[in-house]
Amino acid sequence: MENIQILDKSFKIYLTEKDITNRVAELAHQINVTHKGEEIVVVGILNGCFMFASDLFKQLDLQCRISFLKLASYQGTQSTGKIRQLIGLNEDIKEKTVIILEDIIDTGITMEHIINQLNAYNPSDIKIATLLFKPEAFQKDFPIDYTGFEIPDKFIVGYGLDYNGLGRNLRQIYQIK
Ligand code: IMP
Ligand code: MG
Protein backbone atom coordinates (compact mmCIF):
# COMPACT_ATOMS: atom_id res chain seq x y z
CA MET A 1 0.00 0.00 0.00
CA GLU A 2 1.41 3.38 -1.05
CA ASN A 3 -1.04 5.57 0.87
CA ILE A 4 -2.88 4.96 4.11
CA GLN A 5 -5.30 6.81 6.32
CA ILE A 6 -5.15 6.68 10.13
CA LEU A 7 -7.91 8.59 11.90
CA ASP A 8 -7.80 12.14 10.45
CA LYS A 9 -4.32 11.88 8.89
CA SER A 10 -3.07 10.66 5.49
CA PHE A 11 0.31 9.01 5.15
CA LYS A 12 2.48 7.90 2.23
CA ILE A 13 5.05 5.12 2.12
CA TYR A 14 8.49 6.28 3.27
CA LEU A 15 10.60 3.20 4.13
CA THR A 16 9.79 -0.26 2.80
CA GLU A 17 10.02 -3.46 4.78
CA LYS A 18 13.17 -4.29 2.81
CA ASP A 19 14.79 -0.91 3.55
CA ILE A 20 14.17 -1.50 7.24
CA THR A 21 15.31 -5.14 7.27
CA ASN A 22 18.53 -4.30 5.44
CA ARG A 23 19.37 -1.38 7.68
CA VAL A 24 18.61 -3.27 10.91
CA ALA A 25 20.98 -6.04 9.75
CA GLU A 26 23.69 -3.44 9.14
CA LEU A 27 23.21 -1.94 12.60
CA ALA A 28 23.36 -5.40 14.20
CA HIS A 29 26.59 -6.11 12.34
CA GLN A 30 28.08 -2.79 13.48
CA ILE A 31 27.16 -3.58 17.10
CA ASN A 32 28.55 -7.12 16.84
CA VAL A 33 31.87 -5.84 15.52
CA THR A 34 32.18 -2.92 17.96
CA HIS A 35 31.23 -4.90 21.08
CA LYS A 36 32.88 -8.21 20.22
CA GLY A 37 33.80 -10.08 23.41
CA GLU A 38 31.83 -7.71 25.65
CA GLU A 39 28.85 -8.54 27.80
CA ILE A 40 26.07 -6.09 27.05
CA VAL A 41 22.65 -5.19 28.36
CA VAL A 42 20.22 -3.95 25.74
CA VAL A 43 17.57 -1.62 27.16
CA GLY A 44 14.58 -1.13 24.88
CA ILE A 45 12.28 1.85 25.33
CA LEU A 46 8.63 0.84 25.07
CA ASN A 47 6.27 0.94 23.35
CA GLY A 48 7.77 2.13 20.08
CA CYS A 49 10.94 0.01 20.02
CA PHE A 50 9.38 -3.45 20.25
CA MET A 51 9.71 -4.43 16.57
CA PHE A 52 13.12 -2.86 16.14
CA ALA A 53 14.31 -4.50 19.38
CA SER A 54 13.06 -7.91 18.30
CA ASP A 55 14.58 -7.75 14.83
CA LEU A 56 17.89 -6.35 16.04
CA PHE A 57 18.26 -8.55 19.12
CA LYS A 58 17.89 -11.76 17.07
CA GLN A 59 20.92 -10.72 15.07
CA LEU A 60 23.24 -9.97 17.98
CA ASP A 61 26.06 -12.41 18.26
CA LEU A 62 27.25 -11.36 21.73
CA GLN A 63 26.65 -12.34 25.31
CA CYS A 64 23.63 -10.10 25.76
CA ARG A 65 20.64 -9.55 27.99
CA ILE A 66 17.58 -7.43 27.34
CA SER A 67 15.28 -5.37 29.51
CA PHE A 68 12.54 -2.90 28.61
CA LEU A 69 11.71 0.48 30.04
CA LYS A 70 8.48 2.31 29.72
CA LEU A 71 7.95 6.06 29.48
CA ALA A 72 6.16 8.28 27.01
CA SER A 73 6.23 11.92 25.92
CA TYR A 74 3.85 11.99 22.97
CA GLN A 75 0.15 12.78 22.58
CA GLY A 76 -1.02 12.97 18.99
CA THR A 77 1.62 14.37 16.60
CA GLN A 78 3.20 16.96 18.91
CA SER A 79 5.80 16.21 21.57
CA THR A 80 4.32 17.46 24.84
CA GLY A 81 7.72 17.80 26.45
CA LYS A 82 6.33 16.11 29.57
CA ILE A 83 8.37 13.15 30.68
CA ARG A 84 7.05 10.35 32.84
CA GLN A 85 8.94 8.18 35.25
CA LEU A 86 11.04 5.27 34.00
CA ILE A 87 9.62 1.90 35.01
CA GLY A 88 10.61 -1.68 34.45
CA LEU A 89 14.39 -1.98 34.56
CA ASN A 90 14.99 -5.50 35.81
CA GLU A 91 18.55 -6.23 34.73
CA ASP A 92 21.53 -5.20 36.79
CA ILE A 93 23.45 -2.67 34.67
CA LYS A 94 26.14 -1.78 37.21
CA GLU A 95 29.55 -1.86 35.49
CA LYS A 96 27.99 -3.22 32.30
CA THR A 97 27.84 -1.78 28.79
CA VAL A 98 24.28 -0.65 28.11
CA ILE A 99 22.88 -0.14 24.62
CA ILE A 100 19.65 1.85 24.73
CA LEU A 101 17.29 1.06 21.84
CA GLU A 102 14.80 3.67 20.67
CA ASP A 103 12.44 3.73 17.73
CA ILE A 104 13.06 7.41 17.11
CA ILE A 105 14.96 10.36 18.53
CA ASP A 106 13.11 13.59 17.80
CA THR A 107 13.88 16.49 20.20
CA GLY A 108 16.11 14.18 22.26
CA ILE A 109 14.34 15.19 25.49
CA THR A 110 13.19 11.64 26.20
CA MET A 111 16.59 10.09 25.57
CA GLU A 112 18.45 12.65 27.68
CA HIS A 113 16.12 11.88 30.55
CA ILE A 114 16.69 8.13 30.14
CA ILE A 115 20.47 8.54 29.99
CA ASN A 116 20.45 10.61 33.18
CA GLN A 117 18.32 8.07 35.03
CA LEU A 118 20.34 5.07 33.85
CA ASN A 119 23.62 6.75 34.79
CA ALA A 120 22.50 6.62 38.42
CA TYR A 121 22.92 2.80 38.25
CA ASN A 122 26.63 3.21 37.36
CA PRO A 123 26.88 1.31 34.08
CA SER A 124 30.43 1.20 32.63
CA ASP A 125 29.20 2.70 29.36
CA ILE A 126 25.97 3.81 27.72
CA LYS A 127 25.56 3.61 23.94
CA ILE A 128 22.51 4.71 22.00
CA ALA A 129 20.93 2.97 19.04
CA THR A 130 17.95 4.51 17.31
CA LEU A 131 16.22 3.30 14.18
CA LEU A 132 15.21 6.84 13.20
CA PHE A 133 16.64 10.27 13.95
CA LYS A 134 15.24 13.71 13.12
CA PRO A 135 18.34 15.98 13.10
CA GLU A 136 16.29 19.16 12.44
CA ALA A 137 14.24 18.60 15.60
CA PHE A 138 17.14 17.53 17.84
CA GLN A 139 17.75 19.99 20.71
CA LYS A 140 20.39 18.10 22.69
CA ASP A 141 24.06 17.26 22.21
CA PHE A 142 24.57 13.68 23.40
CA PRO A 143 26.22 11.41 20.83
CA ILE A 144 24.06 8.85 19.01
CA ASP A 145 26.21 5.78 18.41
CA TYR A 146 24.01 3.80 16.01
CA THR A 147 21.47 5.49 13.73
CA GLY A 148 19.32 3.60 11.24
CA PHE A 149 17.94 6.50 9.18
CA GLU A 150 18.22 10.27 9.42
CA ILE A 151 14.82 11.59 8.41
CA PRO A 152 13.15 14.99 7.93
CA ASP A 153 11.11 16.55 10.73
CA LYS A 154 7.81 15.02 9.62
CA PHE A 155 5.55 12.71 11.58
CA ILE A 156 5.84 9.02 10.73
CA VAL A 157 4.08 5.78 11.69
CA GLY A 158 4.59 2.05 11.31
CA TYR A 159 7.07 -0.63 12.43
CA GLY A 160 6.23 0.02 16.08
CA LEU A 161 5.62 3.78 15.78
CA ASP A 162 2.08 5.00 16.34
CA TYR A 163 -0.33 7.81 15.72
CA ASN A 164 -2.64 7.95 18.75
CA GLY A 165 -1.99 4.27 19.41
CA LEU A 166 -2.62 3.13 15.83
CA GLY A 167 -0.29 2.04 13.05
CA ARG A 168 2.25 0.13 15.12
CA ASN A 169 1.45 -3.11 13.28
CA LEU A 170 2.47 -1.77 9.85
CA ARG A 171 5.52 -3.49 8.34
CA GLN A 172 6.60 -0.37 6.50
CA ILE A 173 7.15 3.18 7.72
CA TYR A 174 4.78 5.88 6.45
CA GLN A 175 5.25 9.66 6.46
CA ILE A 176 2.50 12.19 6.99
CA LYS A 177 1.29 13.95 3.83
P1 IMP B 1 11.65 13.15 21.82
O1 IMP B 1 11.65 13.16 23.31
O2 IMP B 1 11.12 14.43 21.24
O3 IMP B 1 13.00 12.80 21.22
O4 IMP B 1 10.58 12.08 21.34
C1 IMP B 1 10.80 10.77 21.51
C2 IMP B 1 9.55 9.94 21.42
O5 IMP B 1 8.49 10.60 20.74
C3 IMP B 1 9.85 8.71 20.60
O6 IMP B 1 10.32 7.68 21.41
C4 IMP B 1 8.52 8.39 19.98
O7 IMP B 1 7.79 7.55 20.84
C5 IMP B 1 7.82 9.71 19.85
N1 IMP B 1 7.94 10.24 18.47
C6 IMP B 1 8.77 11.21 18.01
N2 IMP B 1 8.59 11.44 16.71
C7 IMP B 1 7.63 10.59 16.30
C8 IMP B 1 7.01 10.32 15.02
O8 IMP B 1 7.31 10.93 13.97
N3 IMP B 1 6.07 9.35 15.01
C9 IMP B 1 5.70 8.66 16.13
N4 IMP B 1 6.25 8.86 17.34
C10 IMP B 1 7.20 9.82 17.43
MG1 MG C 1 9.49 5.94 21.94
Side-chain angles (χ1 to χ4, degrees):
M1 262 184 304
E2 287 292 302
N3 296 292
I4 57 162
Q5 180 79 21
I6 301 178
L7 303 172
D8 59 327
K9 303 264 188 282
S10 305
F11 294 85
K12 60 172 193 265
I13 184 79
Y14 183 65
L15 295 169
T16 66
E17 191 174 1
K18 197 158 197 310
D19 294 334
I20 299 166
T21 306
N22 290 345
R23 190 65 188 129
V24 172
E26 287 173 1
L27 290 180
H29 178 72
Q30 230 183 309
I31 292 171
N32 285 333
V33 170
T34 308
H35 297 279
K36 193 170 181 338
E38 285 176 42
E39 191 180 328
I40 63 163
V41 181
V42 172
V43 173
I45 311 305
L46 293 174
N47 293 325
C49 87
F50 73 97
M51 281 200 196
F52 175 46
S54 167
D55 288 343
L56 184 90
F57 197 67
K58 281 184 277 195
Q59 300 182 65
L60 295 184
D61 186 16
L62 301 165
Q63 191 171 329
C64 51
R65 298 169 206 272
I66 192 163
S67 188
F68 290 93
L69 290 179
K70 179 125 185 171
L71 137 173
S73 71
Y74 247 68
Q75 287 286 343
T77 57
Q78 290 287 307
S79 185
T80 60
K82 273 191 228 128
I83 300 288
R84 289 183 225 150
Q85 189 65 28
L86 276 186
I87 48 165
L89 188 69
N90 57 17
E91 284 296 341
D92 185 11
I93 61 168
K94 190 167 182 225
E95 285 156 27
K96 305 237 171 81
T97 298
V98 171
I99 301 180
I100 305 174
L101 292 192
E102 254 287 33
D103 49 357
I104 184 164
I105 297 178
D106 183 2
T107 61
I109 294 169
T110 309
M111 184 56 77
E112 183 170 76
H113 181 79
I114 293 165
I115 295 167
N116 289 340
Q117 290 208 35
L118 288 184
N119 263 325
Y121 295 90
N122 294 313
S124 58
D125 200 3
I126 294 184
K127 301 285 184 201
I128 296 165
T130 186
L131 180 66
L132 301 147
F133 174 48
K134 292 178 176 168
E136 295 156 21
F138 193 53
Q139 300 170 7
K140 303 292 175 182
D141 52 13
F142 55 80
I144 302 175
D145 304 280
Y146 306 101
T147 302
F149 301 93
E150 289 198 359
I151 62 167
D153 188 11
K154 289 192 176 157
F155 194 77
I156 53 167
V157 287
Y159 193 71
L161 291 115
D162 73 303
Y163 170 48
N164 281 355
L166 298 173
R168 294 195 197 274
N169 53 320
L170 299 164
R171 291 160 174 262
Q172 325 195 80
I173 290 177
Y174 294 81
Q175 186 184 65
I176 199 158
K177 284 209 249 182

